[in-house]
Amino acid sequence: MALNGFDIKDFLENYWQKKPLVIRQAFDDALFIEPDELAGLACEEQIESRIIVQEAGEWQLEHGPFPEDRFSSLPKTHWTLLVQGVDQWVPEVADILKSFDFLPAWRLDDIMVSYAPVGGTVSQHYDFFDVFLIQGEGARTWQIGDVCGSHSDYLPNTPVRILKDFEAKMKVTLQPGDILYIPAKHAHYGVSVEDSLTYSVGFRAPSVRDVVDGVSTSALEHLLDDERFEDSLQSLQAQRAEIPSEAINQIKTLMLKAVDDETLIRSWLGQYVTERKYPEHDVISSEAQNYLQRLKEGEVLIKHPSARFAYVVKGGGEAVLFADGDEYLASLVLAEYISNHYALDSEKMMSLLIVDQNKQLIEMLIAGGALVFEDDFLDA
């Protein structure tokens, strides 16, 4: 499902993580969910949702799940409903992701959907992820400002993050089917000019803090107390109470040696980027015992919409497959196929399952809910 009028090469070279871009009429039909259906999702216990109301200069933030009558009691204007991870619950919304196959799947966060009547907004803010804003129905005007960061100031005593200083460098009104790409950390401010739905496709990136914390924590699980600092002849020549530069360099060497392990980093990164965003949610799963027979009969396996897959090429025809935060050894061809496709062709799968190792892996992925038969998912 390619985007209309979109040059992937030009985008990756000149816009991705560099500057905003408007793509007009990228979708012929961008009505993937109805407002009433979105409101229904916001009433569910296991779905993350928020309502932001701006009234008489005051901001109000509410967290779901919401009772059904909350929507009838909202004002006519100046409020926004935001629902996270809608791609995990609505197949039509999940299909949007197929249009962004030119970007790394392991960077994907989720699709947030927002509904707002006239004047609805979450005010000026920035995000630490790249986002594609797809206009569904209605129209919304966006202003894009400067690049921000941890140094940027927010207005005090507000329940939502509102940048203190905001100067628009670009202004655009999105119509149904239009897309606005906003790189990470670019300030932006959207206001609904009529009842509107917007789909936000976010791509996250690990921060340095995430990396240092994650890799060092993983390293600690394998380090022993036996390996310790040892004085060198040079450091012993310093004054008795002085910590010499030689000692500091030795500590630095010990630390770098502990984390300079490609297998360790690979394992942490693969598990980190494939952890389910909402692991507490109930997962629709298929019976694993008879899965081979179902494949023989032509049934289709799909990746569960909430499941996350990635892999690392290991060499020798093997790969390390990551699924929902777990790590498996797999044949490279199997890892590539199930990670890079949404629906898994039955005949293709049967040809890959000649290998016993692959059979056991697929059985584990089905039992864990990462893979599910399409009929089971649609019937749930």
Side-chain angles (χ1 to χ4, degrees):
M1 190 161 62
L3 301 175
N4 297 330
F6 181 67
D7 186 327
I8 294 175
K9 184 175 182 294
D10 178 60
F11 173 77
L12 294 177
E13 290 178 356
N14 299 307
Y15 294 93
W16 178 241
Q17 299 187 317
K18 296 183 183 73
K19 57 184 178 181
L21 174 68
V22 179
I23 312 164
R24 293 293 186 187
Q25 295 300 292
F27 288 96
D28 294 324
D29 182 0
L31 301 178
F32 304 104
I33 190 172
E34 295 289 340
D36 287 346
E37 187 180 359
L38 186 69
L41 292 176
C43 298
E44 298 291 336
E45 179 74 32
Q46 53 191 346
I47 298 179
E48 182 183 355
S49 59
R50 293 164 288 158
I51 291 176
I52 297 174
V53 181
Q54 181 189 18
E55 204 165 18
E58 298 294 324
W59 294 86
Q60 177 183 337
L61 172 64
E62 304 172 34
H63 292 277
F66 300 101
E68 290 184 15
D69 59 4
R70 179 63 185 108
F71 296 99
S72 60
S73 63
L74 286 166
K76 292 184 177 180
T77 63
H78 292 81
W79 60 270
T80 302
L81 167 66
L82 305 107
V83 182
Q84 296 287 156
V86 179
D87 53 302
Q88 300 184 19
W89 306 98
V90 182
E92 291 81 5
V93 174
D95 283 343
I96 294 173
L97 299 176
K98 297 175 183 177
S99 299
F100 297 93
D101 280 350
F102 55 90
L103 292 170
W106 62 270
R107 290 279 315 281
L108 179 68
D109 188 25
D110 69 357
I111 299 181
M112 181 187 74
V113 184
S114 64
Y115 171 81
V118 174
T121 181
V122 299
S123 197
Q124 59 265 29
H125 66 286
Y126 74 93
D127 303 299
F128 280 116
F129 51 82
D130 298 272
V131 65
F132 294 86
L133 300 169
I134 305 167
Q135 194 61 31
E137 62 179 59
R140 196 170 295 192
T141 295
W142 291 91
Q143 299 178 64
I144 298 92
D146 291 318
V147 175
C148 298
S150 300
H151 62 278
S152 302
D153 292 328
Y154 291 94
L155 293 178
N157 305 316
T158 58
V160 293
R161 295 197 316 165
I162 302 175
L163 284 168
K164 185 176 181 180
D165 299 311
F166 179 82
E167 181 181 353
K169 306 292 185 182
M170 173 181 174
K171 184 175 181 180
V172 60
T173 297
L174 298 186
Q175 302 292 340
D178 292 344
I179 295 179
L180 171 61
Y181 163 68
I182 303 177
K185 298 194 290 186
H186 280 66
H188 50 283
Y189 177 24
V191 180
S192 188
V193 295
E194 57 189 24
D195 295 357
S196 66
L197 269 173
T198 299
Y199 306 87
S200 302
V201 183
F203 287 83
R204 60 179 178 165
S207 69
V208 173
R209 293 182 63 176
D210 292 334
V211 172
V212 171
D213 178 62
V215 174
S216 60
T217 300
S218 296
L220 285 172
E221 296 175 2
H222 308 285
L223 295 177
L224 302 175
D225 282 342
D226 304 55
E227 191 166 2
R228 290 175 175 264
F229 170 84
E230 294 180 356
D231 291 307
S232 67
L233 288 176
Q234 285 180 308
S235 63
L236 289 171
Q237 295 172 11
Q239 296 292 326
R240 291 180 61 243
E242 179 190 358
I243 300 176
S245 59
E246 290 82 0
I248 294 172
N249 287 333
Q250 282 180 267
I251 295 295
K252 179 181 175 182
T253 299
L254 282 173
M255 182 182 67
L256 293 177
K257 180 182 175 183
V259 297
D260 187 16
D261 184 326
E262 185 174 340
T263 300
L264 173 75
I265 295 171
R266 178 190 69 196
S267 182
W268 171 80
L269 182 60
Q271 293 176 38
Y272 174 82
V273 301
T274 60
E275 286 179 345
R276 289 200 182 207
K277 188 169 184 179
Y278 303 105
E280 70 279 5
H281 289 177
D282 294 333
V283 175
I284 300 163
S285 59
S286 299
E287 291 290 335
Q289 290 82 354
N290 64 341
Y291 84 93
L292 278 172
Q293 183 60 38
R294 296 182 69 174
L295 284 174
K296 288 177 183 177
E297 294 172 358
E299 291 196 50
V300 177
L301 268 177
I302 62 172
K303 289 184 291 189
H304 192 282
S306 65
R308 298 177 183 268
F309 283 79
Y311 66 92
V312 174
V313 178
K314 192 174 184 203
E318 290 188 324
V320 179
L321 174 70
F322 299 94
D324 292 343
D326 292 322
E327 183 174 342
Y328 307 91
L329 185 63
S331 69
L332 176 57
V333 65
L334 179 68
E336 286 180 335
Y337 184 65
I338 62 177
S339 298
N340 291 321
H341 293 79
Y342 295 94
L344 309 179
D345 179 77
S346 301
E347 290 187 12
K348 175 69 173 178
M349 287 299 296
M350 289 303 298
S351 70
L352 294 173
L353 295 177
I354 296 173
V355 181
D356 287 339
Q357 181 190 32
N358 289 348
K359 289 180 184 177
Q360 295 168 4
L361 173 56
I362 296 300
E363 185 173 344
M364 285 189 289
L365 293 175
I366 294 174
L371 296 179
V372 62
F373 280 99
E374 187 173 36
D375 288 345
D376 295 342
F377 179 75
L378 296 176
D379 292 342

